[in-house]
Amino acid sequence: MASNRGYSHPRRFIPRRQSILTVALFTTLAFVSSIFLLLYGFAPKEDDILKDDTRLEEPLQSQSAQQQVLLRFAFLNFEKKGFASWAAFVNGTVEFFMEYPVVSDENLWGASRSHGLHPCIKPTVRHKAAQGSDHYITVKSNGGLNQMRTGISDMVAVALIMNATLVIPQLDKRSFWQDTSTFSDIFDELHFITTLQDDVRIVKALPKELESFPRARKHFTSWAGMGYYEEMARLWKDYQVIHVAKSDSRLANNDLPLDIQRLRCRALYHALRFSPSIESLGKKLVERLRSQGGRYIALHLRYEKDMLSFTGCTYGLTEAESEELRIMRENTNHWKVKKINSTEQRVGGFCPLTPKEMGIFLESLGYPPITTIYIASGEIYGGEARLSELKSRFPNIISKEALATAEELEPFANHGSQTAALDYIISIESNVFVPSHSGNMARAVEGHRRFLGHRRTINPDRKGLVELFDKLESGKLTLGSSFSRLVQEMHKNRQGAPRKRYGPLPGIKGRARLRTEESFYENPFPECICRSKKAF
């Protein structure tokens, strides 16, 4: 039976003497004032201040007039953000600072220093565009949005290597989301074609005279290099059209010519721009987030039904929920592994962190309860009840459903890939990005944020965190400053700072080692991120 046990909660800090209350209020004042000045940059008007509210009488008795104004204004502002009372605001904020070590603003929100690094995707002088206009590659992209995006970028490079014309790919309509979107529904098709015209010829459809011609149908091998595709070019002797049944992970991460790697970056970061309707709404939602709360964390909470079923992760679920996921996994034909040990998956760090675990994690890193968190995901398995375990620590949780109007979202209804594109835009533009699982979106967003200047991206050490969470559950650890320091030390080098891409894990031989390499799209350094003449 799946475990439903929770973690022990931190002790509640309740001021009992006037001296303690005064210290607490001054701590709160300093914190609120800095937030207020940062977000608004001006003093509150008298009309904005609640003057007669019995909730404020006792806490304000010993404060100066100026302090009372700031504290009253802060209460009103944060009351709108979900704090039901002054006591909840004061006690919650003071408790946080009493229980957890204060982390500097720069260490919470600042981007990693770029050390003179900058994007570099221009072709070298040796670059040559594809010339094979009479050879065509058709593609069936597979997977969700970001699996398709990186796969399409691979196919652009493959078309160049094989000297072929690329036909606009068909998108996956059989994935979990059952999305019927076409290429032009999600991407700016004309921009894609014109941006890459100096690299590869791209056409919207196969010429009619070739539609009835026999095609070479190929499942290109995973993580293939130049030699493989140069060998595949022999197919042009017998066929004019090659159909590729899958597009994901068709190219090696490493050991490819510089121009091929940079072409992959041009395709992904410049050519595959989202459609105008998606781009427009995505930018509006980012602006609304910033106007409401200033800085925000984009949390890719991959606690969705398909991911839990695919990974076989049932920790914290009911017996009925665990059985529902097992049945789904057994009935999904293209998922190869049917029987999975959920406990082994979790201990190995292969499971998405739960909403409750993500709350503890962010709290331990030093983010205060008032932090604005945007949930970038589909429907959370278990619904609002499970999401409330995160909201109990961070009340200011926002989703696209709350951020956009029903009319704005209506065109995207039942199109999971299009709503995922909105999440992608908001995640790229966030001050901090945190994924609960290292899936396709997490890797793609991290790579893009590295490309754009190593924006802060916190990659949870799930295996290490599970060990700490289990100690919390068994009573060997308690939440507070000691636990927080353990979490912060564990993640000091997991926040998106510049580094070269990891190679294969040691001790693994043959083609199996390729699977263990860090994805090119997760970290396009050094090929697409260059160092200036200044020292690193």
Side-chain angles (χ1 to χ4, degrees), residues 490-504:
M490 183 184 293
H491 291 87
K492 66 181 182 180
N493 295 321
R494 301 177 68 93
Q495 305 204 26
R499 61 168 176 79
K500 290 186 178 181
R501 192 167 56 255
Y502 295 136

Side-chain angles (χ1 to χ4, degrees), residues 31-275:
F31 171 69
V32 196
S33 300
S34 63
I35 293 291
F36 173 77
L37 292 174
L38 178 64
L39 296 184
Y40 299 92
F42 58 90
K45 297 178 181 178
E46 188 172 336
D47 291 343
D48 296 328
I49 307 303
L50 185 64
K51 295 181 179 179
D52 298 311
D53 193 322
T54 55
R55 295 172 293 178
L56 310 184
E57 290 178 1
E58 182 179 350
L60 294 179
Q61 286 176 357
S62 62
Q63 307 305 309
S64 69
Q66 185 179 12
Q67 291 166 348
Q68 288 186 34
V69 168
L70 282 173
L71 286 169
R72 287 179 189 276
F73 188 84
F75 168 61
L76 284 179
N77 184 47
F78 289 110
E79 186 178 41
K80 295 175 184 177
K81 299 293 188 181
F83 289 92
S85 69
W86 172 261
F89 170 64
V90 171
N91 288 341
T93 304
V94 172
E95 175 188 310
F96 178 84
F97 283 106
M98 293 294 290
E99 292 288 347
Y100 296 93
V102 177
V103 181
S104 72
D105 192 74
E106 177 64 24
N107 286 335
L108 287 177
W109 298 101
S112 299
R113 287 182 295 175
S114 62
H115 298 283
L117 297 172
H118 56 87
C120 53
I121 59 174
K122 290 183 179 179
T124 70
V125 295
R126 296 181 297 276
H127 177 66
K128 293 182 179 180
Q131 302 297 321
S133 59
D134 59 340
H135 299 147
Y136 293 83
I137 292 179
T138 61
V139 178
K140 182 72 175 293
S141 294
N142 61 299
L145 173 68
N146 290 287
Q147 192 171 345
M148 291 191 291
R149 288 177 68 245
T150 55
I152 291 169
S153 299
D154 275 0
M155 286 299 103
V156 169
V158 168
L160 176 63
I161 297 170
M162 297 185 66
N163 202 23
T165 295
L166 178 66
V167 179
I168 288 289
Q170 297 177 325
L171 304 188
D172 193 341
K173 296 177 173 58
R174 299 175 54 210
S175 67
F176 171 78
W177 304 108
Q178 298 290 300
D179 192 344
T180 59
S181 299
T182 64
F183 188 95
S184 59
D185 291 328
I186 300 177
F187 305 109
D188 187 331
E189 189 173 79
L190 180 60
H191 178 78
F192 179 68
I193 294 172
T194 56
T195 300
L196 296 172
Q197 63 187 358
D198 292 332
D199 300 296
V200 175
R201 180 170 176 254
I202 302 174
V203 296
K204 294 184 177 181
L206 196 66
K208 289 187 177 181
E209 62 270 19
L210 296 179
E211 289 179 353
S212 60
F213 276 38
R215 307 179 189 183
R217 300 182 180 274
K218 295 295 297 181
H219 281 78
F220 287 146
T221 190
S222 300
W223 302 294
M226 288 289 291
Y228 174 84
Y229 285 108
E230 289 169 350
E231 178 65 19
M232 286 296 102
R234 74 183 190 281
L235 293 170
W236 297 133
K237 295 179 180 179
D238 301 313
Y239 299 94
Q240 205 169 343
V241 181
I242 296 175
H243 178 70
V244 182
K246 286 187 175 183
S247 63
D248 65 317
S249 302
R250 297 304 106 180
L251 266 180
N253 294 303
N254 303 303
D255 301 322
L256 291 173
L258 179 60
D259 274 318
I260 295 298
Q261 299 288 56
R262 288 189 176 180
L263 174 58
R264 296 167 86 179
C265 290
R266 289 199 296 278
L268 187 63
Y269 302 134
H270 284 190
L272 274 176
R273 187 170 69 188
F274 292 120
S275 67

Side-chain angles (χ1 to χ4, degrees), residues 388-488:
S388 66
E389 298 174 335
L390 172 62
K391 287 184 176 180
S392 66
R393 288 179 166 81
F394 294 93
N396 199 16
I397 298 292
I398 301 178
S399 65
K400 53 184 163 288
E401 289 76 17
L403 205 55
T405 66
E407 291 75 18
E408 287 173 327
L409 290 178
E410 195 278 331
F412 305 99
N414 301 317
H415 295 293
S417 293
Q418 295 184 47
T419 54
L422 294 174
D423 284 337
Y424 187 90
I425 293 172
I426 296 171
S427 296
I428 290 297
E429 296 301 326
S430 66
N431 299 89
V432 179
F433 175 69
V434 185
S436 67
H437 189 263
S438 57
N440 290 304
M441 176 167 171
R443 290 193 291 269
V445 170
E446 179 175 353
H448 201 161
R449 288 172 68 85
R450 287 181 178 277
F451 179 78
L452 292 174
H454 292 89
R455 299 174 179 177
R456 186 172 294 273
T457 302
I458 303 175
N459 183 14
D461 180 351
R462 295 188 303 279
K463 185 175 181 179
L465 286 171
V466 164
E467 292 181 9
L468 295 182
F469 293 149
D470 285 347
K471 289 180 179 179
L472 280 179
E473 194 170 347
S474 66
K476 294 179 180 179
L477 285 175
T478 57
L479 288 175
S481 59
S482 297
F483 183 86
S484 183
R485 278 190 287 269
L486 289 173
V487 173
Q488 291 174 21

